[in-house]
Amino acid sequence: MASHDKGAGPWLVLGLPIALGLAWITQGTGVVGNDLERNIHVPDELTMPLQVQAAYNGDRIFFRYRWPAERAHVYHDMLRFEDGEWIRHGNSRAGPDPDGTYEDRVAMLVDDGGVPDFGRYGGYITVGDRMRFFSDSASPAEVIAHPHLGERLGQSDVRKYLPGTRTDQHDWRSVVDADVLATQREAGYFLDLWHWRAGRSNPIGASDDQWIGEYRNSDAGTGPYTTNWDADNNRPLWMLDPEQTGQRTLRWEDVTSGQVDFDGLYYLSEANRTDFDPDHDWQNGDVIPRRLLRDPAGSRGDIAVHGQARWEEGHWDVTLVRDMDTRSPLDDKAFREQGVYDIGIAVYRNATGSRWHYVSHPHSLGLGRHADIQAQRIDGDSPDWSDDWFEMTLFYPGQVDWPLLTSRAHAGADDIAAGMPVRPRHSEKQLALYGVEREFNDAITRQWGLTLIAGLLAMLGVTLALLPAFRPTRRGDRS
């Protein structure tokens, strides 16, 4: 009779299940949780629709935006009185504000050809190294100590900037000399930024006006809001004027209810405020906005709300208007008949701010010329909006920056170097999924490594388990 090696039994019984168990435990499932400490929060919806129209009359240009939102978020940066202290609510954070105290917004970047890469790659080119709210964002101390961003501009974070303003795309610190920045701006190497805010500008019929060069800068002049805070006494500077409004504050339960009376009182402005009264008997739940709204002035006040921007029946409908030529060539891009321009639009909704927004592909805008969006030529002072909407799909961009896209880590870097535009090659859904992948890149890479190791151990276990079965055996004597 044949004699068999009994060593295969234990290996098969113990080795194979252990190896397969390790492989199962460490397998890459692709499911990674949000991590607010690392500024990671992926929205439930990765894309959203946006409708856009444009019109002009030779003197002024109008842009209309319409997008779905479950509710209107108009409260932003609130001070709530609680047990003798004024507590701030609604500052920037990862993902949606839990109290809903972060305003909805729409922002539009405009170029007239001075920034060629913008028409091919849109807002991606403005996302540089170690941006704020990225997992590896530069520390405030680093930025404050920077000779240009900190000492000259007085900033403490890295915000949007154009690639040409840096000598090294992988180093936010490498800002070109001030004289070069000035020459770039004079040559039109900047993006015009229209910035409407539901809380900090809309109640007074205004919009903010900014531009992007080496930083996200504001136009010359004063903006539509300032800060309502007395740092020496840790309390507001102003409150609602009870003689005009019948009240000194808002109430916390009204702010967080999700209901907005656009014809009522939900903001603090120069027209309805008075000096703060420290001797008043303040009650828990009293709320005073931390932002005081004011009429913007100078170039920063060029953009206004046309008509009324309202949220109704699940949609925001916002129309902005500006002179076609503001006579501020260092702040704004002028619109002209027969001109073609590139635009990119971002929407902030669901009480989210900073980078937790939705962005569009770059699209062209034509004034009397063929383009993606045809601006309607009108004779009067107000469009009738008889033309069809231009339908866009916006997407969540995740943690994708320009240094990554132009590096060897990105498979499409050669295409970018060759000037091939992004829109014909990638859908909004694809870009959103890539953005989410980059959010969890470290965890995914680590998981892949563990899965690879476990797989090798599994193969080794199988080999060792089956090896005894292939060893030669002695044959018994035949009778």
Side-chain angles (χ1 to χ4, degrees), residues 7 26 45 148 331 346 373 447 454 464:
T26 61
E45 296 179 86
H148 182 83
D331 291 339
I373 305 170
Q447 198 76 1
L464 293 175

Side-chain angles (χ1 to χ4, degrees), residues 109-260:
L109 292 171
V110 181
D111 183 47
D112 58 359
V115 187
D117 279 344
F118 177 70
R120 292 189 283 265
Y121 310 110
Y124 278 126
I125 71 166
T126 69
V127 185
D129 173 49
R130 299 184 66 188
M131 296 276 289
R132 69 170 182 158
F133 293 112
F134 271 53
S135 295
D136 64 344
S137 59
S139 71
E142 288 181 283
V143 182
I144 291 172
H146 190 272
H148 182 83
L149 299 182
E151 297 177 9
R152 185 183 178 94
L153 299 184
Q155 304 298 338
S156 61
D157 55 25
V158 180
R159 301 194 187 183
K160 295 182 183 298
Y161 64 82
L162 295 182
T165 65
R166 300 301 193 272
T167 59
D168 181 356
Q169 297 306 306
H170 298 275
D171 187 359
W172 62 269
R173 303 173 188 84
S174 63
V175 181
V176 301
D177 293 340
D179 57 342
V180 176
L181 291 175
T183 302
Q184 288 180 346
R185 190 175 173 191
E186 291 171 358
Y189 186 69
F190 70 91
L191 295 174
D192 195 355
L193 173 56
W194 296 40
H195 198 168
W196 173 90
R197 311 170 198 256
R200 286 177 287 177
S201 68
N202 187 59
I204 59 172
S207 175
D208 212 344
D209 194 355
Q210 301 172 308
W211 61 277
I212 295 175
E214 84 283 18
Y215 194 78
R216 194 190 78 187
N217 299 288
S218 295
D219 286 14
T222 56
Y225 62 90
T226 188
T227 302
N228 177 27
W229 185 244
D230 181 352
D232 293 333
N233 297 297
N234 292 319
R235 65 193 187 200
L237 285 167
W238 304 287
M239 64 182 186
L240 291 169
D241 185 351
E243 294 186 3
Q244 294 187 59
T245 67
Q247 61 192 82
R248 289 175 173 82
T249 71
L250 307 175
R251 289 293 300 170
W252 183 244
E253 56 268 24
D254 295 329
V255 168
T256 59
S257 69
Q259 304 299 314
V260 181

